[in-house]
Amino acid sequence: MLGSALAALALGLTTACGTSGPGADSDKAGVEVWMVEDASVNEVVQSAIDTYSKNAGIDGELVTYVNDAYKQRIQVALGSPESPDVFFNWGGGNLAQYVKANQVVDLTEAMEANPEFRDAFLPSVLDVAKIDGSYYGVPMQGVLPVVLFYNKKVFKEVGVEPPTTYSELLDLVDTFKKEGITPIVLPGAQAWTELMWLEYLTDRIGGAEVFQAIAEGKEGAWKDPAIIKALEMCQDLVERGAFGDNFSSLTSDNGSASTVLASGKGAMYLMGTWEISNQQEHNPDFLADGNLGFIAFPALEDGKGDPAAIVGNPSNYFSVNSDSDNVDEAIDFLVETMASDAYVEDLIEIGHVPAVAGIEDKLAETEHSEFTTFTYQLVAEAPSFTQSWDQAIPPAAAETMLTNLQLVFLGDMTPEEFAEAMEATQ
Amino acid sequence: MTSATTRVQRPGALWAAPALIFFGIFGLAPIVIVAGLSFTTWDGLGNPEWAGLHNWRTLPSDKLVGSGLMITLTLTVLTWATQTPLALAFGAWAAGPQRIRAVVSTIFFLPLLLSTAAIALIWQALLDPTFGLPAQWSELTGLSANVLGDPDLALWAIVFVLLWQFLPFHMLLYQAAAKQIPASLYEAAEIDGASPLQRFWRITVPQLRHTIIASSVLMIVGSMTYFETVLLLTGGGPGTATRILPLHMYLKGFSAFEMGYASAIAVLLVAVGTGLSLLVVRVSGYSQMTSEREGV
Amino acid sequence: MSTITARPAGEQAESVTPARSAKRSAARAGSRRVSRPAYGAGIGAAIWLVLVVVPLYFLIATSLRGSGDYLSAGPLSIPEEITLDAYRRAFEVGFLKFLTNSLIVAFGAIILVLAVALPAAFAIVRSKSRVVRIGFTLFLLGLAVPAQAVIIPIYLLITRLHLYDSLTAVILPTAAFALPVSIVVLTSSLRDVPSSLYEAMSLDGASNFQIFWNLVLPLSRSGVVTVTIFVGLNAWNNFLFPLVLTQSMDTRVLPLGLWEFQTQYGTDVPGLMAAVVLSALPVLALYLFGRRQLLSGLAAGIGK
């Protein structure tokens, strides 16, 4: 899921191939940083490394790898002699796995020594890198919550308003269906887009605790009634025709889904905030005409969850490898750089919304200020920011989850069977 | 003669050693290692840990192993059943002396120039429900545009793409063989007043029986490698409708990082692959055929 | 066309000198008189012709479209305006890098295979050693091992050898899996050499090496061509080994590059199609200038 998110963030093709360049020179002392390939963010990090290296008089180096293979690469590298000093990760369960293997430096002490550094970050985002009460990672790029996009033009033509509650959403589904418009665009060829629906519905029904329990591996957590209910609601949406007839072959990878929304063939689209860069690249007119609408996921009338809660990708994180010969330099690099004005401004420049407090004014000056401000406030006011489940749980369980979720959406598996199968992975 | 042969220089085993060692390391040792790994848990991080029979106990309860095997075999049968008759008919047709046939068969061979990845990606774009052909034909005819997303259609779509990819190759085999059928056979049949269809059934097909067997063996043994097309075209979806066994192994290994368990599936795969090859060779009499030829 | 196309090249082994028999058959076919055309097959061939041409047209037409045109016009419409923009983008994404990597892998694998397979084939044909005979049987068994079944141990081996994410990591297993077929092909082309030739040379006091150099190499030329094409195509099209054994931009080969083109850069179908066209050009050139060798490398001699 992150793969596409990050790829989409690389705004233009033209800049997409310049910056990578693995070729770690292990002889030199210094800070080696590994992250996934993402042209625009790579540039920001590179410039931060250059600045820091010059000031501190050390050798800093950035090594990048393609997103899909990065996890595999880092798995092999950590614990081997060819490992980085600072490495990119997804926080949550992904990071916890390395923490369990004693491969990550506990940053709590450094945070306590520099409280202004710790407090610079939005708490809901920083907490994703908190494992067993200790901090192991620092947010290194923008927040990517999942929001409900809609086509303003289509809404106007049909004469309806965007939904604030779930029952309004259901009414809209019926309305659009009658109009011959696909109510909700769902690129179901990729299971992680279906997962977004499960994540939000679960959160609205039972609150953030439901998934928290799953992430902590509690027994019976997958059989929580909220999960079953949420899956039933997903199946109900499919049966209602909310996603149209072709959702299972629609993909987001080749950008079809974005264009279905922009062309007015679809009315709503639940997607991460990176969707704006997809639209920018593929349907610039749609974006320029101000037809891309966005709202928070609707409230569920009888749900326990806080309607302000969000799900998505809180951020990505930089962590320090405990095998590093340069632990102190690496920590110092993070503390000096990650919340610095220069770094934050560079991130904003490339369209990110950094997880740093008090940046409203800076965001107001950006190109899509309405959208970035909306995103920022959504995250700043969120009582919880649940990480995408496929990142938060171990890879083996995530693979099973995504496979089974597709079966649920196709109607080939019942919610109970899903819960049963997932419980077995705990 | 005996005294002469004793003096004849013969190369020793040393000449074959580099090939044997190299193939031993990268071709044969992996089979042993994979069997060993199937008794471990390994997540790619650190070292494999002994897990006894755990993976093998999990295997029978994994529904996707059973279904993966079924889909693999179904795909093998369907590709064979579609490719063989068409390759035979077109191959025999293309063997004719007419100039137009030569030109057309040159075009038929063009897919041979494209890699599996290229072919899968072309068809994925062509079968896109919104911007591809399905959108157009569903507007015209009302048929479903959901080709790759329909559990029943997706497998057929794969069969078709594989047909598109491999038909030229098998056609080539039949064409080459059909050209060697003595013209006198056809001339005699023509004098007897046999129709083209009769000539095809009475002369072409029997004359090509060895090619039919050889081509079938290649298709069936080769069907274990349809992995790439499936991965690129549907990723095993929708749901698990096209998740063939090799793909299931790949996803377990390199997406779920359960490499120990994936190794158990791989052992099963080796067994099925070898079993299938042996069965085909035995049933078809392929080995007798080749040994006959070797004797020549 | 991955390993499958390869196999038939192996079959050629079993028959006698493909080139010669092909020539013979062509002559015979020319003399054949067919008075009544086969309408059934003709109609079928016409339908298949459409099915072959339409995707190829789509491929070329799309590669010449602008991105916007692709999304608005139908897949088979004639491009409104022809632009080479998509090709420019394909180069920007790194097509030349992918091409270079693919060429290195192909030539690396070819050289490696020929270097070990030629002496082995010589030994198999001429040696009386039991080790060699058993070895040959092992190679034959190797024909049946599907590569993806052993991808995990190969991944383990490559990472333990610290070769992960290098072109060498791709070359080694690619060559190893091409070895059985190559040995079968070379062995059979050497079997065609009358043993009296070997004996005559050795009676003249030639060493094994001299026999190999002056007799085996020149006489196995057709086999070498076949093997070269077979190994080269296999390496060129291979997807699985690079997928699992490499990952950075620096080691990306063409088939993987095509795939990345799709997953990394969103909706640029014209760019992807341009890259596909470019990636097919080297094989197309081979087809145009060495059609006979290419096809014989693929299939010749498998018939009766």
Side-chain angles (χ1 to χ4, degrees):
Chain A
M1 159 156 196
L2 246 286
S4 310
L6 292 167
L9 269 171
L11 270 166
L13 265 179
T14 42
T15 53
C17 63
T19 40
S20 75
D25 201 337
S26 48
D27 302 340
K28 291 181 193 163
V31 176
E32 187 177 315
V33 180
W34 280 18
M35 69 177 291
V36 299
E37 206 170 290
D38 177 343
S40 50
V41 184
N42 290 163
E43 234 168 274
V44 171
V45 174
Q46 182 70 59
S47 111
I49 293 174
D50 290 348
T51 311
Y52 179 79
S53 310
K54 215 198 288 165
N55 294 341
I58 59 147
D59 266 325
E61 185 168 16
L62 177 66
V63 181
T64 64
Y65 294 98
V66 198
N67 55 63
D68 288 340
Y70 177 82
K71 275 187 194 168
Q72 192 182 329
R73 178 68 179 147
I74 198 78
Q75 291 225 335
V76 179
L78 285 181
S80 86
E82 294 158 51
S83 63
D85 302 299
V86 172
F87 67 99
F88 171 103
N89 60 74
W90 282 262
N94 170 264
L95 179 56
Q97 196 188 347
Y98 306 126
V99 171
K100 246 183 238 164
N102 290 323
Q103 280 160 331
V104 192
V105 174
D106 185 347
L107 298 173
T108 314
E109 209 176 300
M111 294 269 191
E112 269 158 15
N114 302 282
E116 75 292 344
F117 174 68
R118 182 190 61 203
D119 298 340
F121 297 100
L122 299 176
S124 65
V125 179
L126 187 60
D127 282 356
V128 174
K130 201 171 172 181
I131 317 276
D132 297 333
S134 302
Y135 293 103
Y136 286 95
V138 179
M140 51 67 67
Q141 64 176 352
V143 292
L144 298 165
V146 171
V147 301
L148 189 63
F149 291 95
Y150 66 98
N151 186 324
K152 281 187 185 168
K153 198 162 154 235
V154 169
F155 270 67
K156 207 195 250 165
E157 279 165 9
V158 178
V160 289
E161 292 294 316
T164 54
T165 65
Y166 192 71
S167 57
E168 282 176 27
L169 180 93
L170 292 181
D171 289 345
L172 285 174
V173 165
D174 297 339
T175 310
F176 284 121
K177 213 183 139 195
K178 257 181 239 147
E179 296 285 330
I181 296 165
T182 302
I184 299 166
V185 183
L186 178 69
Q190 276 100 16
W192 54 263
T193 64
E194 298 174 336
L195 181 63
M196 291 174 173
W197 283 91
L198 175 63
E199 287 164 355
Y200 259 125
L201 288 172
T202 304
D203 199 290
R204 292 287 185 270
I205 296 166
E209 315 75 271
V210 177
F211 181 69
Q212 193 56 40
I214 290 172
E216 284 164 10
K218 292 208 175 115
E219 205 174 314
W222 279 106
K223 290 186 177 169
D224 191 298
I227 301 272
I228 307 283
K229 180 86 191 302
L231 288 164
E232 282 167 358
M233 287 165 81
C234 290
Q235 288 190 322
D236 180 53
L237 283 171
V238 173
E239 271 165 40
R240 248 173 207 266
F243 306 122
D245 299 327
N246 300 336
F247 74 89
S248 51
S249 59
L250 191 63
T251 83
S252 71
D253 267 358
N254 66 14
S256 291
S258 304
T259 308
V260 172
L261 180 74
S263 66
K265 286 181 186 162
M268 294 175 273
Y269 184 24
L270 186 66
M271 205 11 79
T273 50
W274 59 83
E275 172 64 10
I276 194 153
S277 17
N278 282 343
Q279 295 292 359
Q280 167 102 326
E281 189 181 342
H282 306 307
N283 306 291
D285 295 343
F286 171 66
L287 197 60
D289 296 345
N291 283 329
L292 180 68
F294 34 83
I295 50 168
F297 192 85
L300 185 68
E301 289 84 343
D302 49 358
K304 256 172 57 187
D306 189 326
I310 49 174
V311 307
N313 303 320
S315 180
N316 287 101
Y317 299 83
F318 272 146
S319 298
V320 177
N321 175 9
S322 55
D323 282 347
S324 163
D325 296 331
N326 309 298
V327 170
D328 293 339
E329 288 87 347
I331 292 175
D332 191 53
F333 164 68
L334 294 181
V335 172
E336 289 297 314
T337 308
M338 290 295 118
S340 70
D341 281 349
Y343 190 76
V344 169
E345 277 161 22
D346 281 356
L347 281 179
I348 292 174
E349 180 92 1
I350 59 166
H352 279 226
V353 178
V356 174
I359 55 169
E360 290 89 340
D361 294 348
K362 285 173 184 158
L363 290 174
E365 292 159 21
T366 57
E367 193 190 349
H368 304 292
S369 60
E370 199 194 335
F371 183 70
T372 51
T373 307
F374 160 77
T375 305
Y376 180 75
Q377 278 167 354
L378 196 66
V379 176
E381 285 158 20
S384 63
F385 194 153
T386 300
Q387 192 184 23
S388 298
W389 296 4
D390 52 346
Q391 301 298 340
I393 61 178
E399 204 269 331
T400 308
M401 175 179 73
L402 291 172
T403 305
N404 289 339
L405 190 60
Q406 264 187 325
L407 294 176
V408 170
F409 271 76
L410 287 170
D412 289 345
M413 185 181 252
T414 66
E416 289 75 15
E417 286 167 344
F418 178 90
E420 196 73 45
M422 289 317 297
E423 197 56 41
T425 66
Q426 284 287 39
Chain B
M1 191 62 195
T2 37
S3 62
T5 33
T6 48
R7 268 188 288 131
V8 163
Q9 277 275 356
R10 288 188 181 275
L14 206 59
W15 286 78
L20 277 172
I21 292 168
F22 180 55
F23 187 67
I25 293 173
F26 288 99
L28 297 177
I31 300 177
V32 180
I33 300 175
V34 82
L37 281 175
S38 74
F39 296 100
T40 67
T41 51
W42 184 41
D43 60 358
L45 193 74
N47 290 317
E49 275 169 37
W50 186 254
L53 287 170
H54 178 261
N55 295 324
W56 288 99
R57 288 218 186 89
T58 318
L59 208 59
S61 63
D62 184 349
K63 282 190 201 125
L64 292 175
V65 169
S67 73
L69 199 56
M70 267 313 291
I71 298 167
T72 310
L73 294 177
T74 311
L75 195 60
T76 306
V77 171
L78 288 179
T79 47
W80 178 83
T82 49
Q83 288 178 21
T84 301
L86 285 175
L88 178 57
F90 291 158
W93 180 83
Q98 293 88 339
R99 179 135 189 84
I100 177 83
R101 296 190 184 184
V103 173
V104 168
S105 54
T106 308
I107 297 172
F108 279 6
F109 294 148
L110 287 175
L112 275 179
L113 308 181
L114 297 166
S115 63
T116 302
I119 290 174
L121 292 171
I122 292 172
W123 279 100
Q124 194 185 40
L126 256 178
L127 292 175
D128 186 283
T130 322
F131 305 107
L133 287 176
Q136 313 232 307
W137 77 50
S138 97
E139 241 168 65
L140 287 175
T141 63
L143 285 173
S144 168
N146 196 19
V147 179
L148 294 177
D150 183 314
D152 298 322
L153 286 179
L155 191 69
W156 284 102
I158 291 170
V159 169
F160 178 79
V161 173
L162 290 170
L163 175 68
W164 197 83
Q165 178 174 8
F166 290 110
L167 185 65
F169 170 69
H170 292 281
M171 201 182 118
L172 197 66
L173 301 186
Y174 285 111
Q175 185 196 24
K179 278 187 174 163
Q180 298 189 22
I181 300 174
S184 55
L185 288 178
Y186 289 100
E187 282 153 14
E190 216 177 315
I191 291 163
D192 292 347
S195 71
L197 196 65
Q198 284 169 326
R199 289 195 304 242
F200 177 75
W201 280 114
R202 290 189 197 156
I203 301 168
T204 314
V205 173
Q207 287 286 321
L208 292 180
R209 63 185 186 281
H210 281 168
T211 314
I212 295 173
I213 291 169
S215 155
S216 302
V217 169
L218 295 175
M219 277 181 205
I220 290 165
V221 174
S223 69
M224 302 303 284
T225 66
Y226 294 157
F227 161 81
E228 293 168 15
T229 304
V230 178
L231 173 72
L232 290 170
L233 209 56
T234 66
T240 54
T242 58
R243 192 186 278 204
I244 52 175
L245 199 57
L247 184 62
H248 186 49
M249 183 221 73
Y250 173 79
L251 291 173
K252 282 292 172 203
F254 293 95
S255 177
F257 293 108
E258 292 183 285
M259 299 222 176
Y261 180 62
S263 297
I265 304 176
V267 172
L268 188 65
L269 212 54
V270 173
V272 172
T274 326
L276 209 60
S277 311
L278 288 178
L279 184 77
V280 169
V281 166
R282 178 145 301 184
V283 168
S284 66
Y286 181 64
S287 58
Q288 280 151 324
M289 195 176 91
T290 49
S291 58
E292 250 171 57
R293 253 195 276 153
E294 257 170 21
V296 176
Chain C
M1 55 193 261
S2 51
T3 31
I4 302 188
T5 45
R7 299 280 155 79
E11 304 319 319
Q12 142 181 26
E14 263 71 32
S15 103
V16 202
T17 38
R20 220 189 307 144
S21 66
K23 226 176 281 166
R24 226 191 306 132
S25 68
R28 225 187 293 140
S31 71
R32 192 200 302 166
R33 212 165 30 89
V34 177
S35 53
R36 276 181 294 175
Y39 290 112
I43 292 165
I47 294 172
W48 190 251
L49 183 66
V50 173
L51 288 175
V52 171
V53 169
V54 164
L56 294 176
Y57 164 77
F58 168 79
L59 169 67
I60 308 281
T62 307
S63 75
L64 296 171
R65 274 182 217 279
S67 294
D69 188 25
Y70 168 72
L71 294 174
S72 53
L76 300 183
S77 66
I78 293 162
E80 266 173 41
E81 60 174 325
I82 298 219
T83 161
L84 290 176
D85 237 32
Y87 287 86
R88 184 181 53 76
R89 290 197 302 275
F91 279 106
E92 276 167 6
V93 167
F95 179 81
L96 283 181
K97 183 80 203 161
F98 306 158
L99 178 76
T100 319
N101 287 339
S102 273
L103 287 174
I104 294 174
V105 169
F107 282 103
I110 290 169
I111 291 166
L112 187 54
V113 166
L114 288 179
V116 301
L118 273 170
F122 176 42
I124 288 163
V125 174
R126 295 292 299 158
S127 176
K128 292 245 182 254
S129 152
R130 269 192 61 202
V131 178
V132 172
R133 252 204 334 269
I134 294 168
F136 186 55
T137 317
L138 285 178
F139 284 124
L140 290 181
L141 282 178
L143 285 171
V145 179
Q148 64 269 70
V150 290
I151 191 67
I152 291 172
I154 285 183
Y155 170 76
L156 177 73
L157 275 173
I158 292 291
T159 53
R160 291 299 188 260
L161 291 171
H162 296 284
L163 289 172
Y164 184 78
D165 199 25
S166 67
L167 292 178
T168 317
V170 182
I171 293 173
L172 291 176
T174 305
F177 277 83
L179 208 49
V181 170
S182 305
I183 286 188
V184 170
V185 171
L186 291 174
T187 307
S188 60
S189 79
L190 286 184
R191 284 221 167 101
D192 291 344
V193 179
S195 56
S196 56
L197 275 180
Y198 293 109
E199 278 149 23
M201 263 192 97
S202 106
L203 285 177
D204 288 346
S207 69
N208 275 324
F209 185 77
Q210 283 166 320
I211 295 176
F212 179 73
W213 194 254
N214 295 323
L215 186 67
V216 171
L217 280 188
L219 287 178
S220 56
R221 217 172 50 206
S222 78
V224 168
V225 170
T226 305
V227 166
T228 301
I229 288 170
F230 159 62
V231 177
L233 281 179
N234 247 358
W236 185 258
N237 293 332
N238 199 338
F239 183 81
L240 182 65
F241 289 138
L243 175 69
V244 171
L245 303 175
T246 69
Q247 63 181 8
S248 65
M249 188 78 182
D250 284 8
T251 53
R252 200 162 304 158
V253 293
L254 265 176
L256 210 51
L258 295 180
W259 193 39
E260 286 294 337
F261 206 103
Q262 155 140 347
T263 54
Q264 284 267 94
Y265 306 111
T267 194
D268 189 11
V269 176
L272 171 65
M273 292 304 141
V276 168
V277 172
L278 290 172
S279 76
L281 288 182
V283 191
L284 182 68
L286 192 63
Y287 182 66
L288 292 178
F289 297 111
R291 181 154 178 264
R292 186 180 298 272
Q293 283 83 351
L294 179 69
L295 296 187
S296 88
L298 282 171
I302 194 175
K304 46 182 236 95

